[in-house]
Amino acid sequence: MTAYGPLSARLNSAFDGCYEAHRASALSGVPQSTVYLWARNGLVTPSVSPTRVKLWSYADLMALRIVYWLRHPKFETEASVPASPMPRVREALAELEQLGLDIWDDSGGRLTSPLRVDASGKIWVDVEGIPHQAGQAAMQESLDLLGPFDVADRQGPDLIRPRPSLRIVPGRVSGEPHLARSRITTLSAAALYESLGDYKAIADLYPGFDAAAFRDAVEFESSLAA
């Protein structure tokens, strides 16, 4: 439980977020060129607007993370797990669609994915705890879809609390990172800092917020730009 309610309540509005490609890339941790490529290929289609002005949802950020994670080696276990081949990624996503499953779900009270990876990098679809392809045992390889994302040379922020004083809520300010208990986005704070060059001067414009919160916002935007 957070100040904005339980996980299930946040996920009910997971399609409320609205991000252009550069923002979807920065928040998911997936390169922008890859985000565009997967949209063109139908691998992860932007669900808010798949047409000329493409717009991705909060849920799409998690889908991007999952597919990117599958496509790269995993080294956090005793034995490394190789990257899963793209044809198998496509097959697994098709299986999810056929089974009527989302690429992620919170049915167990914890956000996870029904996709599992075995020691050879093969992907299995987990249906109620049983690998969909009978007779095959699957490693419980998974990742925290909402926590900090660090795969290969890419990083993405925590998608709930990117900094102590910052929050991301799908149904608030179009899912943009913002100062907790406000509608002040980190983009707005960064623009003010570029203009005023002083955190205290910005805080003076917003009674109830201190300079440290705006420093968090500006440093967060700098980290996304990097």
Side-chain angles (χ1 to χ4, degrees):
M1 178 79 73
T2 73
Y4 291 106
L7 175 62
S8 58
R10 291 197 303 275
L11 293 182
N12 285 336
S13 60
F15 291 93
D16 289 348
C18 184
Y19 312 96
E20 294 183 353
H22 74 280
R23 203 66 171 164
S25 169
L27 293 173
S28 67
V30 176
Q32 185 170 324
S33 59
T34 302
V35 170
Y36 271 128
L37 176 64
W38 290 349
R40 289 196 302 270
N41 293 345
L43 198 64
V44 180
T45 303
S47 58
V48 178
S49 173
T51 54
R52 184 174 181 179
V53 180
K54 292 180 171 59
L55 297 171
W56 286 256
S57 70
Y58 186 84
D60 295 334
L61 303 184
M62 292 178 276
L64 288 167
R65 286 186 170 193
I66 292 171
V67 177
Y68 196 72
W69 178 82
L70 291 172
R71 291 291 297 128
H72 288 79
K74 277 68 83 176
F75 301 104
E76 296 181 359
T77 55
E78 292 183 4
S80 63
V81 178
S84 303
M86 184 59 84
R88 181 54 192 141
V89 173
R90 291 182 179 279
E91 290 172 8
L93 294 178
E95 285 181 47
L96 289 180
E97 186 172 355
Q98 291 168 4
L99 294 168
L101 298 174
D102 288 326
I103 194 170
W104 52 264
D105 81 292
D106 69 330
S107 57
R110 175 181 179 275
L111 187 62
T112 184
S113 174
L115 299 180
R116 296 290 182 265
V117 185
D118 71 14
S120 69
K122 290 182 180 178
I123 307 169
W124 312 109
V125 178
D126 188 307
V127 181
E128 297 181 351
I130 302 172
H132 184 53
Q133 296 193 10
Q136 301 291 340
M139 290 177 57
Q140 294 301 301
E141 278 292 322
S142 60
L143 73 161
D144 181 356
L145 302 182
L146 294 175
F149 185 69
D150 188 353
V151 173
D153 60 342
R154 300 291 302 185
Q155 293 182 332
D158 188 296
L159 290 179
I160 298 175
R161 195 171 186 249
R163 293 287 189 279
S165 60
L166 306 180
R167 300 291 183 272
I168 300 177
V169 182
R172 184 181 289 254
V173 291
S174 298
E176 277 296 318
H178 58 276
L179 273 65
R181 303 179 303 282
S182 84
R183 300 182 68 83
I184 307 168
T185 67
T186 54
L187 283 171
S188 297
L192 282 170
Y193 183 74
E194 185 175 347
S195 174
L196 300 176
D198 184 86
Y199 296 115
K200 185 178 183 305
I202 301 172
D204 288 343
L205 299 174
Y206 296 95
F209 293 91
D210 58 27
F214 290 98
R215 183 186 297 275
D216 263 358
V218 173
E219 290 180 351
F220 174 69
E221 285 299 325
S222 295
S223 73
L224 292 185

